């Protein structure tokens, strides 16, 4: 019986690895596409514009595709977490919500503003359109779910990894709270969350 259970656990772990790899790739891929877009597209300013706004304009389809692909990879990663952590139901669910938020935001773009795309009003967006509201709600729910996932995963990581996971969750929330003062705080918080999810996924993959 023991040998059978051990073999089943090994099989589940092997099946989880490609899915966890997909989840680990998601964040760096999204940030890389955003960085290239932000550096090459006219009128974009990391200090004024959110990466989500790269979904607007003639080349907006590139960022939209990045949202959808990232969401699909994160959903795969959530399934991998489910297989790698059979005793944890909430961590995979929360990461799944995070992935679903990217898919949603791939279909509902942010509003133009702060000078992007070229020709948009120079001021920050003060009134949201319907699709802009859905985009904001999706992103908010998604990153709150990610922070909750970090707190749940901390119990499985232990030691310094557990402490770091809790600190990152708090830092992401602080960055989001500061986004009212500067959009760069939001961008840095999102990047931190995505990179930490990659680090945790790799840790569980090992």
């Amino acid at each position: 019986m023991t040998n059978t259970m051990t073999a089943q656990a090994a099989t589940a772990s092997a099946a989880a690895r490609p899915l966890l790899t997909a989840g680990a790739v998601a964040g760096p891929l999204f940030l890389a596409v955003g960085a290239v877009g932000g550096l090459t597209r006219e009128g974009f300013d990391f200090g004024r514009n959110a990466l989500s706004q790269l979904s607007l304009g003639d080349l907006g389809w590139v960022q939209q595709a990045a949202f959808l692909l990232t969401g699909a990879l994160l959903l795969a990663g959530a399934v991998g977490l489910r297989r790698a952590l059979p005793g944890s139901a909430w961590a995979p669910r929360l990461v799944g919500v995070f992935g679903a938020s990217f898919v949603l935001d791939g279909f509902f773009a942010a509003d133009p503003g702060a000078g992007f795309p070229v020709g948009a009003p120079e001021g920050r967006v003060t009134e949201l359109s319907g699709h802009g509201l859905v985009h904001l709600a999706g992103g908010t729910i998604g990153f709150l779910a990610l922070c909750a996932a970090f707190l749940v995963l901390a119990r499985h990581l232990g030691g310094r990894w557990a402490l770091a996971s809790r600190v990152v969750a708090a830092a992401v929330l602080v960055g989001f709270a500061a986004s009212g003062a500067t959009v760069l705080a939001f961008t840095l918080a999102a990047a931190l969350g995505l990179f930490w999810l990659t680090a945790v996924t790799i840790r569980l993959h090992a």
Side-chain angles (χ1 to χ4, degrees), residues 85 87-94 145-158 162 165-166 169:
L85 301 172
S88 176
W90 277 106
R93 290 173 183 171
L94 290 165
L146 179 65
C147 290
F150 288 155
L151 297 179
V152 174
L153 286 168
R155 289 182 285 177
H156 297 275
L157 295 168
S165 196
R166 296 185 180 102

Side-chain angles (χ1 to χ4, degrees), residues 7 18 31 36 41 47 52-53 58 70 74 96 109 165 173 184 199:
L31 293 172
V36 172
R41 293 188 61 185
S52 294
Q53 289 182 298
D58 293 340
T70 299
L74 289 170
S165 196
L173 290 175
L184 187 58

Side-chain angles (χ1 to χ4, degrees), residues 117-133:
V118 175
E122 288 297 323
R124 295 188 66 176
V125 178
T126 55
E127 294 185 11
L128 295 175
S129 64
H131 59 82
L133 183 60

Side-chain angles (χ1 to χ4, degrees), residues 36-45 49 54 56 59 115-119:
V36 172
L39 291 171
T40 59
R41 293 188 61 185
E42 182 182 359
F44 190 89
D45 182 345
N49 303 113
L54 290 170
L56 304 170
L59 293 176
F116 190 85
V118 175

Side-chain angles (χ1 to χ4, degrees), residues 35-117:
V36 172
L39 291 171
T40 59
R41 293 188 61 185
E42 182 182 359
F44 190 89
D45 182 345
F46 287 100
R48 301 179 64 199
N49 303 113
L51 293 182
S52 294
Q53 289 182 298
L54 290 170
S55 292
L56 304 170
D58 293 340
L59 293 176
W61 65 269
V62 175
Q63 194 67 26
Q64 288 175 326
F67 268 111
L68 295 173
L69 180 56
T70 299
L73 291 170
L74 289 170
L75 289 171
V79 175
L81 283 175
R82 179 68 175 175
R83 295 181 179 179
L85 301 172
S88 176
W90 277 106
R93 290 173 183 171
L94 290 165
V95 173
V97 170
F98 184 54
S101 74
F102 273 77
V103 175
L104 182 67
D105 284 352
F107 288 107
F108 294 88
D111 287 316
F116 190 85

